[in-house]
Amino acid sequence: MATVVGSAPKFTERDAARLAAELYGIQGDVKALPSERDQNFRIGTNHVLKVANAGELREFLELQHDTLARLRHFARNLEWPVVLQSRYGADIVEAGGHLIRMLTWIPGTCYAAAPPHSPELLASLGRALAQMDLALAGFDHPAAHRRFHWDLRQATDALQFLPLLPAEKRELLAPIFAAWEHIDWNALPQSVIHNDANDYNVLVREGRVVSVLDFGDMVWSATVCNLAVALAYAMLGQQDPIAAAAAVTSAYRELRPLSESDLDALYPLAVTRLAMSVCYCAWQSAQAPDNEYLNISNRPAWALLERLAAMPDGWAAEVLRGAAAQKDSLLSRRRRTLGPSLSISYRDPLHITHGRGAYLYDSGGRAYLDCVNNVAHVGHSHPRVVRAAADQMARLNTNTRYLDAHLVEYIERLAATLPEPLCVVYLVCSGSEANELALRLARAHTGREDVMVVDTAYHGNTNALIQISPYKFNGPGGRGKPPHVTVLPIPSADPTGWQAAAPAPPAAFICESALSCAGQVILPPGYLREIYAQIRATGAVCIADEVQTGFGRAGSHFWMFETQGVIPDIVTMGKPIGNGHPIGAVITTREIAASFANGMEYFNTFGGNPVSCAVGLAVLDVIRDERLQENALTVGEYLIAGLRDLQTREALIADVRGMGLFLGFEMPHEREATELVNRMKERGVLLSTDGPLHNVIKIKPPLVFSRADADLLLAHLHRTLRELH
Ligand SMILES: Cc1ncc(COP(=O)(O)O)c(C=O)c1O
């Protein structure tokens, strides 16, 4: 490499003009074009004079000319330069120690300078590459069989420059080279390939790829490397790099199928190309800091490598294999067989295949910032939680009628998060089971049946819970309020309206500590203290439904009820407790537990099984170790301030409310809210609506949601609200 860059020709534009005139009889304005190791001069409007590196072999230029001839013959949908003969009848001429050629100029813009890189343009790139690879099948030339530092088979050549990079950059590249080592080269078909369809070599005209230039990196290698190189550059600067790579690949495969082995190798090879590129840049920059061309693709390449590293393992490879192809059939098969009482989110439903942190990833290669899935509390597929589940699953999973260290440790840890006298734990499998059991506890303890709830509440999907959920019994298909239920209004700030009056003394008052289905409503200060006092005066018990609000989401407190300065008699938990693994829990006092222990056993086949307990423990560990409650507080405050700022500028935001990472804002109507949610999804941000009028946008992301995520959400909200306005 040192010799190659060092022996680059140093002709002036005047030299080039003279050579063009003398050798080819061609005159015109001369303009030097950027090149790494050769020199290219545009002459007039129709020609380019190419001066090869002093190290270039004539035989290699002949390979290029043979290749062009073959492409002109077999890849006719594309345009290929014609090699001109000099006045003396040769297509390669020697001058000043360098080999010289004159080629016709193909008009167009280089791909890098032709944004936006629309799906159509990406597809045309895929087709162009497939046409080239098809045209070169069966073609061979001795000069192609060379050891070349840009050949992806020789990635170790680049690896030697790793020490030139800072530690964090080396860490980014290490897994890439490790994956490269697993490529089974013997399984990959080989041929002569162009090997450098980078964004400066691909020529675009009228939104379509018309040619691929610069044959100086040709080599005999695995054919799939040609596509892999192009993917590396097609991903640069894209909002959804994997979707871009998938668009190129799928168009390529329509013309030239790829084997299973090719598909296995494709993504690792594309990323290896980027890694090689930044390694060579590091070395070249050290040698020739003033050569601007060397740095052209360096910064975007690092940015892309960082983004790719944040993506879930295996996702990109799966997308490139065509995972999206099944999306339509999944929808129709789902509709045919799944119970029809369940809607699917978004006008154009999502086919999510992977999750990591606060992001979800779909089969088509798009990443989505997840602002609604409060279940994936510590982040989607958190590795510690996954490992805890897998390890325990591989070891033992039984019911809770045996002694188990995980169970005991878990219930102790869970109980320790709550104030006295809440100390007796029941483990179940869902929020519904938790609330169902809470009702049984309250009824056993009081000997009464009636229940008091707050309007628009949802507490679960069982018979008994539908009956106490106004959101359901007053909603579509509901049968109205049953006689044993009293509904309190969603509280206003005025305490004179806080009356818990019922026709008969109830068994329980159940209330979320901040109201979810009512539209992310924060209870007015003092509300629960007042209502709990009135309820307890009747002998009833107070149940705090913390299914959505618990585990640090409030930011200032671990449990949302603590923000109201009360201690419930029963607390129910679900959703975030297992980060997606089905766990629920009920925690109550010794007195209530004693009332329930009337001889009838409470057995729950799956509740409290060792796998669930291992998962629950891992979730508690991660919340503590990653300081997620603190994150909910700081990012939540930052986000609500951003939303309030947006509110001053955007008339479509009526009210902003929330606490920690339990936030929402109101829009005038359901129509605008639904439109916003769908448009935000198209921008790669997932939100959803709530509230009795479906006009509240709810924001309750995984607690790993960062300040940068909040910025992204706010920026997209701003743009989308502008559009809607
Ligand atoms: C406040 C509240 N309680 C209980 C439940 C029921 O939980 P699950 O769906 O796990 O049964 C939900 C579910 O949405 C909920 O939001």
Side-chain angles (χ1 to χ4, degrees):
M1 270 192 56
T3 44
V4 166
V5 177
S7 53
K10 299 196 172 55
F11 286 46
T12 62
E13 288 180 350
R14 185 185 288 226
D15 296 334
R18 185 176 47 76
L19 287 168
E22 281 178 9
L23 295 173
Y24 299 93
I26 294 175
Q27 276 158 355
D29 290 343
V30 177
K31 186 172 179 299
L33 307 169
S35 172
E36 183 189 357
R37 56 174 182 257
D38 305 318
Q39 273 191 305
N40 296 316
F41 297 94
R42 185 168 180 184
I43 314 284
T45 50
N46 296 328
H47 297 92
V48 57
L49 184 81
K50 295 177 79 70
V51 185
N53 189 287
E56 200 70 274
L57 300 175
R58 178 179 287 270
E59 191 192 24
F60 186 71
L61 299 183
E62 286 166 0
L63 158 66
Q64 295 186 29
H65 295 180
D66 288 359
T67 301
L68 282 172
R70 190 164 173 113
L71 289 171
R72 272 198 303 277
H73 190 74
F74 288 111
R76 288 169 185 269
N77 292 340
L78 299 163
E79 298 169 27
W80 303 105
V82 176
V83 184
L84 265 59
Q85 303 246 311
S86 74
R87 284 178 192 232
Y88 314 105
D91 55 8
I92 302 173
V93 182
E94 195 175 334
H98 292 273
L99 298 176
I100 301 203
R101 299 166 295 149
M102 181 74 85
L103 270 59
T104 54
W105 176 269
I106 299 176
T109 314
C110 75
Y111 182 90
H117 297 156
S118 66
E120 293 73 29
L121 180 59
L122 291 159
S124 96
L125 174 60
R127 282 191 297 274
L129 291 160
Q131 283 163 18
M132 288 173 80
D133 289 343
L134 286 168
L136 294 182
F139 169 70
D140 201 359
H141 191 289
H145 296 264
R146 58 177 181 146
R147 195 179 192 291
F148 181 48
H149 66 276
W150 279 113
D151 180 355
L152 275 158
R153 291 178 304 175
Q154 314 295 346
T156 42
D157 286 4
L159 202 58
Q160 64 182 304
F161 300 124
L162 221 50
L164 293 175
L165 296 165
E168 76 276 5
K169 296 232 149 100
R170 289 203 301 272
E171 265 168 43
L172 204 58
L173 301 189
I176 296 172
F177 286 108
W180 172 86
E181 279 183 8
H182 285 102
I183 291 172
D184 180 6
W185 291 97
N186 291 328
L188 304 179
Q190 301 191 353
S191 62
V192 173
I193 58 169
H194 176 277
N195 197 37
D196 197 18
N198 75 48
D199 47 349
Y200 285 85
N201 285 342
V202 172
L203 202 63
V204 176
R205 216 167 55 232
E206 288 158 12
R208 181 178 90 81
V209 171
V210 292
S211 189
V212 182
L213 306 173
D214 192 349
F215 287 72
D217 281 4
M218 288 182 70
V219 68
W220 176 274
S221 188
T223 313
V224 71
C225 292
N226 200 37
L227 175 60
V229 170
L231 294 190
Y233 297 92
M235 289 192 286
L236 283 178
Q238 288 278 338
Q239 180 180 339
D240 285 299
I242 304 303
V248 178
T249 305
S250 114
Y252 181 102
R253 290 168 71 189
E254 278 173 25
L255 296 184
R256 183 176 179 274
L258 293 171
S259 70
E260 285 301 304
S261 307
D262 285 334
L263 286 166
D264 285 343
L266 182 56
Y267 181 68
L269 285 170
V271 188
T272 301
R273 169 69 181 214
L274 287 169
M276 289 170 74
S277 167
V278 293
C279 283
Y280 286 140
C281 259
W283 183 80
Q284 289 172 322
S285 303
Q287 306 304 308
D290 52 341
N291 187 339
E292 198 35 44
Y293 179 77
L294 299 178
N295 279 320
I296 281 182
S297 61
N298 200 18
R299 242 170 285 127
W302 277 118
L304 176 57
L305 282 164
E306 269 159 33
R307 287 194 59 201
L308 298 180
M311 290 169 181
D313 293 342
W315 173 61
E318 196 175 296
V319 173
L320 294 189
R321 295 183 88 91
Q326 43 167 343
K327 187 175 159 182
D328 290 345
S329 97
L330 284 180
L331 184 61
S332 57
R333 283 164 60 199
R334 171 187 161 117
R335 286 202 172 123
R336 216 173 302 136
T337 314
L338 190 69
S341 315
L342 182 65
S343 63
I344 189 161
S345 298
Y346 305 109
R347 275 180 216 133
D348 175 22
L350 286 171
H351 178 202
I352 299 292
T353 60
H354 289 70
R356 182 153 164 183
Y359 281 81
L360 288 172
Y361 298 85
D362 82 358
S363 58
R366 291 203 66 188
Y368 298 88
L369 176 60
D370 181 359
C371 305
V372 278
N373 284 286
N374 53 352
V375 172
H377 199 62
V378 300
H380 288 280
S381 304
H382 193 291
R384 279 179 77 180
V385 179
V386 171
R387 209 174 320 115
D391 287 354
Q392 186 56 43
M393 187 92 99
R395 203 175 134 133
L396 172 75
N397 202 16
T398 59
N399 65 54
T400 40
R401 283 194 169 116
Y402 304 95
L403 288 177
D404 181 71
H406 276 129
L407 169 71
V408 175
E409 190 188 343
Y410 185 46
I411 55 179
E412 284 174 356
R413 290 267 304 274
L414 207 50
T417 65
L418 290 157
E420 285 292 340
L422 294 163
C423 60
V424 182
V425 180
Y426 300 83
L427 291 175
V428 295
C429 307
S430 67
S432 296
E433 277 192 15
N435 282 334
E436 182 75 27
L437 177 58
L439 283 189
R440 286 182 63 191
L441 291 172
R443 285 170 173 160
H445 187 65
T446 59
R448 304 178 194 154
E449 282 297 309
D450 291 5
V451 180
M452 197 173 276
V453 299
V454 173
D455 206 2
T456 331
Y458 173 69
H459 292 294
N461 59 33
T462 66
N463 265 306
L465 296 175
I466 294 298
Q467 289 187 344
I468 64 158
S469 296
Y471 178 76
K472 289 290 180 192
F473 65 63
N474 284 333
R479 294 192 189 164
K481 185 186 80 59
H484 69 279
V485 176
T486 299
V487 180
L488 304 188
I490 295 170
S492 69
D494 176 11
T496 55
W498 303 346
Q499 299 296 331
F509 167 67
I510 179 167
C511 181
E512 281 189 275
S513 309
L515 312 180
S516 306
C517 289
Q520 304 291 97
V521 174
I522 300 301
L523 295 171
Y527 174 75
L528 281 186
R529 195 162 336 141
E530 174 58 33
I531 296 290
Y532 275 22
Q534 294 182 28
I535 293 288
R536 282 175 173 148
T538 71
V541 302
C542 298
I543 305 171
D545 181 335
E546 288 273 350
V547 167
Q548 292 220 29
T549 52
F551 291 92
R553 182 165 294 281
S556 57
H557 297 81
F558 197 79
W559 299 105
M560 191 70 90
F561 68 75
E562 295 174 291
T563 66
Q564 286 275 313
V566 292
I567 298 178
D569 304 301
I570 303 174
V571 178
T572 60
M573 306 167 189
K575 293 191 193 279
I577 188 172
N579 210 51
H581 180 86
I583 311 178
V586 181
I587 305 192
T588 189
T589 62
R590 290 208 188 284
E591 291 68 28
I592 293 175
S595 305
F596 188 58
N598 61 1
M600 181 191 286
E601 241 192 278
Y602 179 78
F603 177 67
N604 191 314
T605 303
F606 300 120
N609 71 72
V611 172
S612 296
C613 292
V615 167
L617 276 168
V619 170
L620 290 177
D621 287 345
V622 177
I623 295 172
R624 177 197 60 210
D625 295 348
E626 297 186 11
R627 306 165 76 102
L628 294 182
Q629 181 185 329
E630 203 174 305
N631 190 63
L633 182 67
T634 52
V635 176
E637 279 175 357
Y638 179 73
L639 183 52
I640 202 165
L643 290 171
R644 294 213 161 106
D645 178 53
L646 211 52
Q647 184 188 23
T648 62
R649 282 176 286 148
E650 295 300 331
L652 285 174
I653 300 186
D655 182 40
V656 175
R657 54 191 175 235
M659 188 177 270
L661 282 173
F662 183 91
L663 302 166
F665 63 87
E666 225 170 87
M667 297 187 70
H669 303 104
E670 177 179 356
R671 196 182 54 241
E672 286 105 353
T674 306
E675 190 60 35
L676 179 85
V677 166
N678 278 289
R679 289 193 188 202
M680 287 292 280
K681 174 229 168 194
E682 292 311 316
R683 297 202 131 107
V685 180
L686 302 186
L687 290 166
S688 78
T689 57
D690 220 329
L693 305 175
H694 310 287
N695 63 332
V696 178
I697 304 293
K698 61 181 167 191
I699 303 172
K700 39 188 181 180
L703 292 202
V704 290
F705 205 75
S706 67
R707 224 169 228 266
D709 296 332
D711 285 334
L712 193 75
L713 166 62
L714 290 166
H716 283 305
L717 271 178
H718 194 186
R719 275 183 220 125
T720 310
L721 286 164
R722 276 276 149 84
E723 274 174 22
L724 289 180
H725 200 71

